[in-house]
Amino acid sequence: METSVSRTPKDLLCKLAVSIPKSEPDPLMPASCFRTTALDGEGMVSNENLRWLSKELVGRGWEKLATSLGIKRNRMQSIKRRNPSKTEEAQVLDMLITWRCMMPKAYNKEKKLAAALVNCGCYDLSEELKDRKMDMESEGTRDEEE
C-alpha cells in the first residue's frame, strides 16, 4: 500500500537561492578599432573627429551621450566588457564608432551627433566639431584651387 507524503510549507527548513554557473563565456571579440579603417565617415563623423571627441569626452559623462545617441544599455555593457583594460578614451571611441556603424548611410549623422552633444550638456563640443568640419571643408576647397 502506497502512501503519499505531502509537504507543507511548515516542513521546509529554509529556502536557499542557488546560482547555477554559466558555461564558459565566448572569447572576447577584438576591440572595434578594426572598424575605424573599414568605414570612415566624412565631416563631423570622420575618424579624426571621433578620435578628438573621444579624448574630450573622457570624464564628461559619455554614457549620457551614448543614451542620447540611442545606444542601448546592453550595448554599452558590451563596449565596456570588450575594453576592460583599455582607457576610457578607447571605450568612448568604440562607442562612437559603434554608433556610426549602426546608423543608415542616408541618415544625417552630423545633425544627430550635434543634437546629442547639446542634449547631454556638451554644447561647446558640438560647436567645436562644427568649426572643425568647416576648417576641413575650407582646406579641401583650397587644395582643389591649387
Side-chain angles (χ1 to χ4, degrees), residues 85-135:
S85 61
K86 293 188 178 179
T87 63
E88 185 179 6
E89 182 183 328
Q91 292 177 350
V92 177
L93 180 60
D94 191 0
M95 179 272 297
L96 289 170
I97 292 170
T98 299
W99 167 77
R100 184 180 67 192
C101 291
M102 287 175 16
M103 293 284 98
K105 285 184 179 182
Y107 195 82
N108 189 344
K109 298 173 193 76
E110 295 177 352
K111 185 176 180 182
K112 174 78 173 175
L113 181 58
L117 284 167
V118 169
N119 186 32
C120 71
C122 298
Y123 182 79
D124 57 325
L125 294 179
S126 175
E127 289 300 311
E128 178 68 23
L129 264 180
K130 289 176 187 175
D131 291 343
R132 291 172 65 92
K133 177 188 173 195
M134 289 182 2
D135 290 345

Short mmCIF file of all heavy atoms in Angstrom, two decimals, residues 85-135:
data_model
loop_
_atom_site.label_atom_id
_atom_site.label_comp_id
_atom_site.label_asym_id
_atom_site.label_seq_id
_atom_site.Cartn_x
_atom_site.Cartn_y
_atom_site.Cartn_z
N SER A 85 40.61 46.64 -20.06
CA SER A 85 41.93 47.11 -19.63
C SER A 85 42.35 48.37 -20.36
O SER A 85 43.37 48.96 -20.04
CB SER A 85 42.97 46.01 -19.87
OG SER A 85 43.03 45.72 -21.25
N LYS A 86 41.56 48.79 -21.34
CA LYS A 86 41.91 49.98 -22.10
C LYS A 86 41.41 51.22 -21.39
O LYS A 86 40.62 51.16 -20.46
CB LYS A 86 41.34 49.90 -23.51
CG LYS A 86 41.98 48.79 -24.31
CD LYS A 86 41.56 48.86 -25.73
CE LYS A 86 42.29 47.75 -26.51
NZ LYS A 86 41.92 47.74 -27.89
N THR A 87 41.84 52.34 -21.87
CA THR A 87 41.47 53.60 -21.25
C THR A 87 40.01 53.93 -21.55
O THR A 87 39.39 53.35 -22.44
CB THR A 87 42.35 54.74 -21.80
OG1 THR A 87 42.11 54.85 -23.21
CG2 THR A 87 43.81 54.47 -21.53
N GLU A 88 39.49 54.86 -20.79
CA GLU A 88 38.13 55.33 -21.02
C GLU A 88 38.00 55.93 -22.42
O GLU A 88 36.97 55.81 -23.07
CB GLU A 88 37.75 56.35 -19.95
CG GLU A 88 36.31 56.81 -20.01
CD GLU A 88 35.96 57.80 -18.92
OE1 GLU A 88 36.85 58.24 -18.17
OE2 GLU A 88 34.77 58.15 -18.84
N GLU A 89 39.07 56.55 -22.88
CA GLU A 89 39.08 57.13 -24.23
C GLU A 89 38.81 56.07 -25.29
O GLU A 89 38.06 56.30 -26.24
CB GLU A 89 40.42 57.81 -24.48
CG GLU A 89 40.53 58.47 -25.83
CD GLU A 89 41.91 59.07 -26.06
OE1 GLU A 89 42.55 59.52 -25.10
OE2 GLU A 89 42.32 59.08 -27.22
N ALA A 90 39.40 54.87 -25.13
CA ALA A 90 39.18 53.79 -26.08
C ALA A 90 37.73 53.32 -26.04
O ALA A 90 37.14 53.00 -27.07
CB ALA A 90 40.12 52.62 -25.78
N GLN A 91 37.13 53.31 -24.85
CA GLN A 91 35.73 52.92 -24.72
C GLN A 91 34.82 53.94 -25.41
O GLN A 91 33.87 53.57 -26.09
CB GLN A 91 35.35 52.77 -23.26
CG GLN A 91 36.02 51.61 -22.57
CD GLN A 91 35.69 51.53 -21.09
OE1 GLN A 91 35.09 52.43 -20.51
NE2 GLN A 91 36.08 50.43 -20.47
N VAL A 92 35.13 55.22 -25.24
CA VAL A 92 34.33 56.27 -25.87
C VAL A 92 34.45 56.17 -27.39
O VAL A 92 33.44 56.26 -28.10
CB VAL A 92 34.76 57.67 -25.38
CG1 VAL A 92 33.97 58.76 -26.09
CG2 VAL A 92 34.61 57.81 -23.89
N LEU A 93 35.66 55.97 -27.89
CA LEU A 93 35.86 55.85 -29.33
C LEU A 93 35.11 54.63 -29.86
O LEU A 93 34.45 54.71 -30.90
CB LEU A 93 37.35 55.75 -29.67
CG LEU A 93 37.67 55.62 -31.16
CD1 LEU A 93 37.17 56.83 -31.93
CD2 LEU A 93 39.17 55.46 -31.35
N ASP A 94 35.16 53.53 -29.15
CA ASP A 94 34.44 52.33 -29.56
C ASP A 94 32.94 52.62 -29.61
O ASP A 94 32.25 52.23 -30.56
CB ASP A 94 34.73 51.19 -28.58
CG ASP A 94 34.24 49.84 -29.08
OD1 ASP A 94 33.67 49.77 -30.19
OD2 ASP A 94 34.43 48.85 -28.36
N MET A 95 32.42 53.34 -28.62
CA MET A 95 31.00 53.69 -28.60
C MET A 95 30.63 54.55 -29.80
O MET A 95 29.62 54.32 -30.47
CB MET A 95 30.67 54.42 -27.30
CG MET A 95 29.22 54.86 -27.15
SD MET A 95 28.78 56.49 -27.83
CE MET A 95 29.77 57.59 -26.87
N LEU A 96 31.45 55.55 -30.10
CA LEU A 96 31.15 56.46 -31.22
C LEU A 96 31.20 55.73 -32.56
O LEU A 96 30.35 55.94 -33.43
CB LEU A 96 32.13 57.63 -31.21
CG LEU A 96 31.95 58.64 -30.07
CD1 LEU A 96 33.13 59.61 -30.02
CD2 LEU A 96 30.64 59.38 -30.20
N ILE A 97 32.17 54.86 -32.72
CA ILE A 97 32.28 54.10 -33.98
C ILE A 97 31.14 53.10 -34.09
O ILE A 97 30.56 52.92 -35.17
CB ILE A 97 33.66 53.43 -34.09
CG1 ILE A 97 34.72 54.51 -34.26
CG2 ILE A 97 33.69 52.44 -35.24
CD1 ILE A 97 36.13 54.03 -34.16
N THR A 98 30.77 52.48 -32.98
CA THR A 98 29.63 51.57 -32.98
C THR A 98 28.37 52.31 -33.40
O THR A 98 27.60 51.82 -34.23
CB THR A 98 29.44 50.95 -31.58
OG1 THR A 98 30.61 50.20 -31.24
CG2 THR A 98 28.23 50.03 -31.53
N TRP A 99 28.18 53.50 -32.84
CA TRP A 99 27.01 54.31 -33.21
C TRP A 99 27.03 54.66 -34.69
O TRP A 99 26.02 54.51 -35.38
CB TRP A 99 26.97 55.59 -32.36
CG TRP A 99 26.01 56.60 -32.90
CD1 TRP A 99 24.66 56.57 -32.78
CD2 TRP A 99 26.32 57.75 -33.67
NE1 TRP A 99 24.11 57.64 -33.43
CE2 TRP A 99 25.11 58.39 -33.98
CE3 TRP A 99 27.51 58.31 -34.13
CZ2 TRP A 99 25.05 59.56 -34.73
CZ3 TRP A 99 27.46 59.47 -34.86
CH2 TRP A 99 26.24 60.09 -35.16
N ARG A 100 28.18 55.09 -35.19
CA ARG A 100 28.28 55.48 -36.60
C ARG A 100 27.97 54.29 -37.51
O ARG A 100 27.30 54.43 -38.53
CB ARG A 100 29.66 56.03 -36.91
CG ARG A 100 29.78 56.55 -38.34
CD ARG A 100 31.15 57.09 -38.63
NE ARG A 100 32.13 56.01 -38.61
CZ ARG A 100 33.44 56.20 -38.61
NH1 ARG A 100 33.93 57.42 -38.62
NH2 ARG A 100 34.26 55.18 -38.59
N CYS A 101 28.44 53.11 -37.15
CA CYS A 101 28.20 51.92 -37.96
C CYS A 101 26.73 51.48 -37.90
O CYS A 101 26.23 50.89 -38.85
CB CYS A 101 29.09 50.77 -37.50
SG CYS A 101 30.83 51.04 -37.87
N MET A 102 26.05 51.77 -36.80
CA MET A 102 24.64 51.40 -36.67
C MET A 102 23.72 52.28 -37.50
O MET A 102 22.63 51.87 -37.87
CB MET A 102 24.20 51.50 -35.19
CG MET A 102 24.75 50.43 -34.32
SD MET A 102 24.38 50.60 -32.54
CE MET A 102 23.06 51.75 -32.43
N MET A 103 24.14 53.49 -37.77
CA MET A 103 23.30 54.45 -38.49
C MET A 103 23.21 54.11 -39.98
O MET A 103 24.22 53.73 -40.57
CB MET A 103 23.85 55.87 -38.35
CG MET A 103 23.80 56.44 -36.96
SD MET A 103 22.16 56.95 -36.47
CE MET A 103 21.59 55.56 -35.55
N PRO A 104 22.04 54.27 -40.57
CA PRO A 104 21.93 54.07 -42.02
C PRO A 104 22.79 55.09 -42.77
O PRO A 104 23.03 56.19 -42.27
CB PRO A 104 20.45 54.31 -42.31
CG PRO A 104 19.76 54.24 -40.99
CD PRO A 104 20.78 54.58 -39.95
N LYS A 105 23.24 54.72 -43.95
CA LYS A 105 24.12 55.62 -44.71
C LYS A 105 23.46 56.95 -45.02
O LYS A 105 24.11 57.99 -44.98
CB LYS A 105 24.55 54.95 -46.02
CG LYS A 105 25.58 53.89 -45.83
CD LYS A 105 26.05 53.33 -47.16
CE LYS A 105 27.11 52.28 -46.94
NZ LYS A 105 27.63 51.76 -48.20
N ALA A 106 22.18 56.94 -45.32
CA ALA A 106 21.48 58.16 -45.72
C ALA A 106 21.11 59.05 -44.53
O ALA A 106 20.67 60.18 -44.72
CB ALA A 106 20.22 57.82 -46.51
N TYR A 107 21.30 58.56 -43.32
CA TYR A 107 20.92 59.31 -42.12
C TYR A 107 21.88 60.47 -41.89
O TYR A 107 23.09 60.34 -42.11
CB TYR A 107 20.92 58.36 -40.92
CG TYR A 107 20.21 58.91 -39.71
CD1 TYR A 107 18.83 58.83 -39.60
CD2 TYR A 107 20.91 59.51 -38.68
CE1 TYR A 107 18.17 59.32 -38.50
CE2 TYR A 107 20.26 60.01 -37.58
CZ TYR A 107 18.89 59.92 -37.49
OH TYR A 107 18.24 60.43 -36.40
N ASN A 108 21.37 61.60 -41.44
CA ASN A 108 22.21 62.76 -41.16
C ASN A 108 22.88 62.57 -39.80
O ASN A 108 22.37 63.01 -38.77
CB ASN A 108 21.37 64.04 -41.19
CG ASN A 108 22.23 65.29 -41.12
OD1 ASN A 108 23.40 65.24 -40.76
ND2 ASN A 108 21.64 66.41 -41.46
N LYS A 109 24.03 61.92 -39.81
CA LYS A 109 24.74 61.60 -38.58
C LYS A 109 25.26 62.85 -37.89
O LYS A 109 25.31 62.92 -36.66
CB LYS A 109 25.89 60.64 -38.88
CG LYS A 109 25.46 59.31 -39.45
CD LYS A 109 26.66 58.49 -39.87
CE LYS A 109 26.30 57.32 -40.71
NZ LYS A 109 25.97 57.66 -42.09
N GLU A 110 25.68 63.84 -38.68
CA GLU A 110 26.23 65.06 -38.11
C GLU A 110 25.19 65.79 -37.27
O GLU A 110 25.47 66.25 -36.16
CB GLU A 110 26.75 65.97 -39.21
CG GLU A 110 27.92 65.37 -39.95
CD GLU A 110 28.40 66.23 -41.10
OE1 GLU A 110 27.73 67.23 -41.44
OE2 GLU A 110 29.45 65.90 -41.67
N LYS A 111 23.99 65.89 -37.80
CA LYS A 111 22.91 66.57 -37.08
C LYS A 111 22.56 65.82 -35.80
O LYS A 111 22.36 66.43 -34.74
CB LYS A 111 21.68 66.67 -37.99
CG LYS A 111 20.55 67.46 -37.41
CD LYS A 111 19.41 67.60 -38.42
CE LYS A 111 18.26 68.40 -37.85
NZ LYS A 111 17.15 68.50 -38.80
N LYS A 112 22.49 64.50 -35.87
CA LYS A 112 22.17 63.67 -34.71
C LYS A 112 23.26 63.80 -33.64
O LYS A 112 22.96 63.95 -32.45
CB LYS A 112 22.03 62.20 -35.14
CG LYS A 112 21.84 61.21 -34.04
CD LYS A 112 20.45 61.22 -33.51
CE LYS A 112 20.26 60.08 -32.51
NZ LYS A 112 18.97 60.10 -31.88
N LEU A 113 24.53 63.77 -34.04
CA LEU A 113 25.63 63.89 -33.09
C LEU A 113 25.63 65.27 -32.43
O LEU A 113 25.78 65.38 -31.21
CB LEU A 113 26.97 63.62 -33.77
CG LEU A 113 28.22 63.70 -32.89
CD1 LEU A 113 28.13 62.71 -31.73
CD2 LEU A 113 29.46 63.43 -33.72
N ALA A 114 25.43 66.32 -33.22
CA ALA A 114 25.41 67.68 -32.66
C ALA A 114 24.26 67.83 -31.67
O ALA A 114 24.44 68.40 -30.58
CB ALA A 114 25.29 68.70 -33.79
N ALA A 115 23.07 67.33 -32.02
CA ALA A 115 21.92 67.42 -31.12
C ALA A 115 22.14 66.63 -29.84
O ALA A 115 21.79 67.08 -28.74
CB ALA A 115 20.67 66.93 -31.84
N ALA A 116 22.76 65.46 -29.95
CA ALA A 116 23.03 64.63 -28.77
C ALA A 116 24.05 65.30 -27.85
O ALA A 116 23.92 65.24 -26.63
CB ALA A 116 23.52 63.25 -29.20
N LEU A 117 25.06 65.94 -28.44
CA LEU A 117 26.05 66.65 -27.62
C LEU A 117 25.39 67.80 -26.86
O LEU A 117 25.65 68.01 -25.67
CB LEU A 117 27.19 67.17 -28.49
CG LEU A 117 28.20 66.12 -28.95
CD1 LEU A 117 29.09 66.67 -30.06
CD2 LEU A 117 29.04 65.64 -27.78
N VAL A 118 24.53 68.54 -27.53
CA VAL A 118 23.83 69.65 -26.87
C VAL A 118 22.91 69.09 -25.78
O VAL A 118 22.85 69.62 -24.67
CB VAL A 118 23.03 70.47 -27.90
CG1 VAL A 118 22.10 71.45 -27.21
CG2 VAL A 118 23.98 71.21 -28.83
N ASN A 119 22.23 67.99 -26.09
CA ASN A 119 21.30 67.38 -25.14
C ASN A 119 21.98 66.93 -23.86
O ASN A 119 21.40 66.99 -22.79
CB ASN A 119 20.60 66.20 -25.81
CG ASN A 119 19.51 65.61 -24.95
OD1 ASN A 119 18.85 66.30 -24.19
ND2 ASN A 119 19.29 64.31 -25.09
N CYS A 120 23.22 66.48 -23.95
CA CYS A 120 23.91 66.00 -22.75
C CYS A 120 24.80 67.07 -22.12
O CYS A 120 25.61 66.77 -21.26
CB CYS A 120 24.69 64.72 -23.04
SG CYS A 120 26.15 64.94 -24.04
N GLY A 121 24.63 68.32 -22.55
CA GLY A 121 25.32 69.42 -21.90
C GLY A 121 26.70 69.73 -22.44
O GLY A 121 27.48 70.42 -21.80
N CYS A 122 27.02 69.23 -23.60
CA CYS A 122 28.34 69.47 -24.21
C CYS A 122 28.20 70.40 -25.42
O CYS A 122 28.68 70.08 -26.51
CB CYS A 122 29.00 68.16 -24.60
SG CYS A 122 29.32 67.06 -23.22
N TYR A 123 27.55 71.52 -25.23
CA TYR A 123 27.32 72.46 -26.32
C TYR A 123 28.64 72.92 -26.92
O TYR A 123 28.76 73.09 -28.13
CB TYR A 123 26.52 73.67 -25.81
CG TYR A 123 26.20 74.67 -26.88
CD1 TYR A 123 25.15 74.44 -27.77
CD2 TYR A 123 26.93 75.85 -27.00
CE1 TYR A 123 24.86 75.35 -28.77
CE2 TYR A 123 26.65 76.76 -28.00
CZ TYR A 123 25.61 76.51 -28.87
OH TYR A 123 25.32 77.41 -29.86
N ASP A 124 29.65 73.15 -26.06
CA ASP A 124 30.96 73.60 -26.55
C ASP A 124 31.59 72.60 -27.51
O ASP A 124 32.18 72.98 -28.52
CB ASP A 124 31.90 73.89 -25.37
CG ASP A 124 32.09 72.67 -24.47
OD1 ASP A 124 31.13 71.89 -24.29
OD2 ASP A 124 33.20 72.50 -23.93
N LEU A 125 31.42 71.30 -27.22
CA LEU A 125 31.99 70.28 -28.10
C LEU A 125 31.23 70.23 -29.43
O LEU A 125 31.84 70.02 -30.48
CB LEU A 125 31.95 68.91 -27.44
CG LEU A 125 32.85 68.75 -26.20
CD1 LEU A 125 32.70 67.35 -25.63
CD2 LEU A 125 34.29 69.05 -26.54
N SER A 126 29.94 70.46 -29.37
CA SER A 126 29.14 70.50 -30.60
C SER A 126 29.61 71.63 -31.51
O SER A 126 29.80 71.44 -32.71
CB SER A 126 27.66 70.68 -30.24
OG SER A 126 26.89 70.83 -31.40
N GLU A 127 29.82 72.81 -30.93
CA GLU A 127 30.28 73.96 -31.71
C GLU A 127 31.69 73.73 -32.25
O GLU A 127 32.00 74.07 -33.39
CB GLU A 127 30.24 75.23 -30.86
CG GLU A 127 28.83 75.71 -30.58
CD GLU A 127 28.06 76.02 -31.85
OE1 GLU A 127 28.58 76.74 -32.72
OE2 GLU A 127 26.91 75.52 -31.97
N GLU A 128 32.55 73.14 -31.42
CA GLU A 128 33.92 72.87 -31.85
C GLU A 128 33.94 71.87 -33.02
O GLU A 128 34.72 72.03 -33.96
CB GLU A 128 34.75 72.33 -30.68
CG GLU A 128 36.18 71.98 -31.02
CD GLU A 128 37.06 73.18 -31.35
OE1 GLU A 128 36.72 74.30 -30.92
OE2 GLU A 128 38.07 73.00 -32.05
N LEU A 129 33.08 70.87 -32.95
CA LEU A 129 33.01 69.91 -34.06
C LEU A 129 32.56 70.59 -35.34
O LEU A 129 33.08 70.31 -36.42
CB LEU A 129 32.03 68.78 -33.71
CG LEU A 129 32.62 67.50 -33.14
CD1 LEU A 129 31.53 66.49 -32.85
CD2 LEU A 129 33.66 66.90 -34.04
N LYS A 130 31.58 71.49 -35.24
CA LYS A 130 31.12 72.23 -36.42
C LYS A 130 32.26 73.07 -36.99
O LYS A 130 32.44 73.15 -38.21
CB LYS A 130 29.92 73.11 -36.07
CG LYS A 130 28.66 72.33 -35.80
CD LYS A 130 27.53 73.24 -35.36
CE LYS A 130 26.32 72.44 -34.93
NZ LYS A 130 25.25 73.29 -34.39
N ASP A 131 33.03 73.71 -36.11
CA ASP A 131 34.18 74.52 -36.56
C ASP A 131 35.22 73.63 -37.24
O ASP A 131 35.78 74.01 -38.27
CB ASP A 131 34.82 75.26 -35.39
CG ASP A 131 33.92 76.35 -34.83
OD1 ASP A 131 32.96 76.76 -35.53
OD2 ASP A 131 34.17 76.80 -33.69
N ARG A 132 35.49 72.47 -36.67
CA ARG A 132 36.46 71.54 -37.27
C ARG A 132 36.00 71.09 -38.64
O ARG A 132 36.80 70.97 -39.57
CB ARG A 132 36.68 70.34 -36.35
CG ARG A 132 37.42 70.67 -35.06
CD ARG A 132 37.43 69.49 -34.11
NE ARG A 132 38.19 68.36 -34.62
CZ ARG A 132 39.46 68.14 -34.39
NH1 ARG A 132 40.15 68.99 -33.64
NH2 ARG A 132 40.08 67.09 -34.88
N LYS A 133 34.69 70.86 -38.79
CA LYS A 133 34.14 70.46 -40.09
C LYS A 133 34.34 71.57 -41.11
O LYS A 133 34.77 71.33 -42.24
CB LYS A 133 32.66 70.12 -39.95
CG LYS A 133 32.02 69.75 -41.27
CD LYS A 133 30.52 69.63 -41.14
CE LYS A 133 29.92 69.44 -42.52
NZ LYS A 133 28.52 69.65 -42.57
N MET A 134 34.05 72.81 -40.71
CA MET A 134 34.21 73.93 -41.63
C MET A 134 35.67 74.12 -42.00
O MET A 134 35.98 74.42 -43.16
CB MET A 134 33.62 75.21 -41.01
CG MET A 134 32.11 75.15 -40.97
SD MET A 134 31.17 76.57 -40.33
CE MET A 134 32.30 77.81 -39.92
N ASP A 135 36.58 73.93 -41.05
CA ASP A 135 38.02 74.03 -41.35
C ASP A 135 38.44 72.96 -42.36
O ASP A 135 39.21 73.24 -43.28
CB ASP A 135 38.85 73.89 -40.06
CG ASP A 135 38.71 75.09 -39.15
OD1 ASP A 135 38.21 76.15 -39.60
OD2 ASP A 135 39.09 74.97 -37.96
#
